[in-house]
Amino acid sequence: MREWRIRFHLRQWLLDPPLAARIAIFLPTILFYGSAGFLYFELPGNPDLGWGDGLWYTVVTMATVGYGDLYPKTPQGRFLVGFPLMFFGVGLLGYLLSTLASLLITARKRELCGMGDFRKNDHLVIVNYAGEEKTLRVLDELLHAHALGKAMPVVLVDEWLEELPASLAARGVRFVRGNPTRDETLLRANIDKAQHAVVLARRPGDAASDSLNIAITLAIEGRLRQVNTVVECVDPASTELLRKAGCDHVVCGGRFEAFFVSQELLNPGIQEVLDELLSCSDGQQMYISDLPVAPPLRWDALERLCRERGHIPMGLRRQGKPLLNPSSMLMVEAGDRLITLGPTPLKWL
């Protein structure tokens, strides 16, 4: 039975050899035929010829370049070597080049359709395609020089997107298509070597998207808790479940919608102020940084240090809650973090 299988596969290989075998057989054969034939017929009339000259003539003829520095002068060399090289050599070279071009196009198509694997490390994983405009806006903010930086690799993971949009491909974004709740898909996105993971709400405004994001968070955190995960939710009631699932940070858009509407009504123009404060690409931004010196330290002394570096101190983040515009006599405690407004991240000497 085993011998029959071997004969069957050998017969199939001989009848329909793979591409690599065809090239490995026919290309050296034609190169040898052209070189040896050229020397055989032309060497008696030109003793200075060598194998390098024969190979050069063969390659030049196959490539249809025709420099004219070497050419057969005998009738046998022209008809028995030159003509076969023109027909078979040019055909083989064209077949080889067209095959390579086809392989490159197929590889690019597989990449755009998310069928390949992502191999880079220390990258950003964006899970769920929430529309071209929103995805581009997230990329612009995260890959800004004051944020993660433009050099960070990005991979998009989505189950229903058929092909990566051209605008994302132009930004260097890679695509992995598959169910993000399965280990197989996460492994293809190289989640174990990722630095950050952002899980977007697949259908903004639809609370059912939160159930999917909870399952995705469980899948990511179950594999690797070291990755910094930020998950978007629609329903504020899902926040606690996402935290229990292990994500590092939860962003609930529905929680802030009422605030934005009411503040714009009470303070017209506040929306543009918030837009500049939250954007990494324009104007001044808010930053949360470590303290320059260890406590004990009074707030007014900390204010002077910040203003010397072009930052406006806004408050402290203490025990996970903001403490804005504190009294100048307030004592800074261990574990506090500084909230400032400035053009670039605050760096202490």
Side-chain angles (χ1 to χ4, degrees), residues 257-279:
E257 290 176 355
F259 296 158
F260 291 152
V261 173
S262 59
Q263 285 297 321
E264 187 64 27
L265 177 64
L266 298 174
N267 301 290
I270 196 68
Q271 184 175 202
E272 285 74 17
V273 176
L274 295 175
D275 183 67
E276 181 171 335
L277 290 177
L278 297 176
S279 174

Side-chain angles (χ1 to χ4, degrees), residues 297-303 313-316 326-328 330 332 338:
L297 180 68
R298 216 167 64 177
W299 175 253
D300 55 356
L302 190 55
E303 280 186 309
M314 302 179 64
L316 297 170
S327 168
S328 60
L330 178 74
V332 179
L338 182 60

